[in-house]
Amino acid sequence: SSDVSFTIRTISPWTMTCQVAECYRDGRVFLIGDSAHCFPPTGGLGLNTGVQDAHNLIWKLAAVEAGWAPPSLLDTYESERQPVARYNADQSLQNAMRLLEVPQALGLSNDAEASKRAFAETIGDPKRRRELAAAIANQAEHFDMLGLQLGFTYESGAIVADGTDKPAPANPVRDFIPTSRPGARLPHGWVERNGERVSTLDLVPLQNFTLLVGPDGSAWLDAARTASVPIQCIRIGRDITDPTDWWTSVAALGPDGALLVRPDQHIAFRARRGVADPHTVLTHAIASMLGRVQANVSVVRSER
């Protein structure tokens, strides 16, 4: 209304940027969230990426403060999270560029009257309608990013790689393939604990590791008793029931296999089946994951 009195105090134009910090750590200072990366808003990836940063860093800080992990574990925050931020930044920028294709296909401009005419001409021309439909269809990744949101994996850092290839979906942005591969997020599955249906993700506490083992994986539980890190042990068939056969069909593990899951729900170590010396293998895996010894993939691979 013209009779409302107001004063414009500042004008701050917004400029789209796409940036990822060169490093995430300088001594006791860590960059997280928007201080570590700045994306175009297309796709809303800034918030999710920032929350993932916190999810990754906080358990490592707690482990070092508690004394059961060396300070070098904190260096894995950058090596794990920075590649994810770069990938998400590229996707955000691609979303922004693709979004321009729709008004371009409609022939829109800063001239309102010319835009109205162009819109009418586009709707009335079968060829231009097809071009518009193709431009709209090309926005799918902007609004359907399950593969990007849930399928990101850590290829190095606080994990013990087992030499397997990560899943290769037709469209890694849209398509999500659950996997128990080290570095991936623990796949969701419905299991029952104390008569209640819960997600496998709800089995993982925030303060310690979780060792999931198959029905015949008691040897892994014995090995975990002397572990150098706090571990909650869960055995399929004893501590939880698996009515949908998640362990075999989704996690793709044998009855004597094992998964070591970090407090941030990412898999640190996987043994698809039992091994001759689970104590040595698990001890070495934990030491490798924490950076106390160099990872030795062959120890795990030879027993698969």
Side-chain angles (χ1 to χ4, degrees):
S1 174
S2 60
D3 59 352
V4 176
S5 177
F6 62 89
T7 301
I8 298 176
R9 298 193 179 277
T10 61
I11 297 176
S12 178
W14 175 77
T15 302
M16 186 179 76
T17 61
C18 186
Q19 302 165 321
V20 177
E22 293 181 356
C23 64
Y24 278 27
R25 179 188 185 186
D26 186 356
R28 293 171 59 86
V29 177
F30 294 84
L31 299 184
I32 192 170
D34 287 351
S35 66
H37 39 73
C38 183
F39 308 152
T42 39
L45 294 174
L47 173 60
N48 284 359
T49 308
V51 170
Q52 292 166 8
D53 292 341
H55 206 202
N56 183 284
L57 179 60
I58 194 65
W59 75 267
K60 297 174 182 177
L61 288 172
V64 173
E65 285 293 304
W68 53 263
S72 59
L73 176 66
L74 300 176
D75 291 332
T76 66
Y77 166 60
E78 177 179 314
S79 64
E80 291 183 349
R81 291 303 307 161
Q82 192 181 58
V84 176
R86 287 173 175 161
Y87 185 83
N88 291 355
D90 290 343
Q91 185 62 36
S92 296
L93 184 59
Q94 188 175 82
N95 288 343
M97 296 298 102
R98 284 178 174 172
L99 199 60
L100 299 176
E101 296 175 5
V102 176
Q104 288 173 352
L106 286 167
L108 304 184
S109 66
N110 292 330
D111 187 324
E113 291 303 318
S115 295
K116 290 180 182 178
R117 291 193 298 270
F119 182 87
E121 292 170 1
T122 299
I123 298 303
D125 185 331
K127 178 177 181 297
R128 292 180 64 176
R129 284 203 308 270
R130 290 193 297 271
E131 293 172 350
L132 174 61
I136 293 173
N138 206 28
Q139 310 305 312
E141 286 186 2
H142 187 168
F143 305 100
D144 181 10
M145 298 184 289
L146 189 63
L148 180 147
Q149 301 283 18
L150 298 182
F152 68 94
T153 63
Y154 301 137
E155 297 300 318
S156 64
I159 65 167
V160 182
D162 64 2
T164 59
D165 295 328
K166 64 180 179 180
N171 186 325
V173 174
R174 300 185 65 183
D175 302 331
F176 171 57
I177 300 178
T179 176
S180 65
R181 180 176 180 263
R185 188 170 181 261
L186 179 70
H188 157 76
W190 290 117
V191 296
E192 294 181 0
R193 178 174 57 184
N194 299 325
E196 179 184 2
R197 190 177 80 151
V198 298
S199 169
T200 51
L201 295 166
D202 293 329
L203 301 175
V204 182
L206 299 176
Q207 68 273 19
N208 50 252
F209 285 81
T210 299
L211 183 67
L212 291 163
V213 305
D216 300 333
S218 59
W220 291 108
L221 303 184
D222 293 338
R225 292 193 179 100
T226 58
S228 61
V229 299
I231 297 180
Q232 168 193 245
C233 295
I234 297 177
R235 181 177 173 183
I236 305 293
R238 184 192 70 179
D239 304 304
I240 61 172
T241 57
D242 183 15
T244 63
D245 195 29
W246 167 85
W247 183 256
T248 301
S249 61
V250 179
L253 299 171
D256 53 356
L259 280 183
L260 183 64
V261 185
R262 307 184 330 185
D264 63 356
Q265 300 178 336
H266 282 259
I267 296 165
F269 162 78
R270 171 176 71 172
R272 286 180 167 173
R273 48 195 265 183
V275 298
D277 186 356
H279 179 271
T280 297
V281 171
L282 185 62
T283 299
H284 187 276
I286 292 172
S288 299
M289 182 265 300
L290 296 179
R292 290 194 170 112
V293 298
Q294 184 177 359
N296 185 354
V297 175
S298 64
V299 171
V300 181
R301 182 186 298 163
S302 64
E303 301 290 352
R304 287 191 292 123

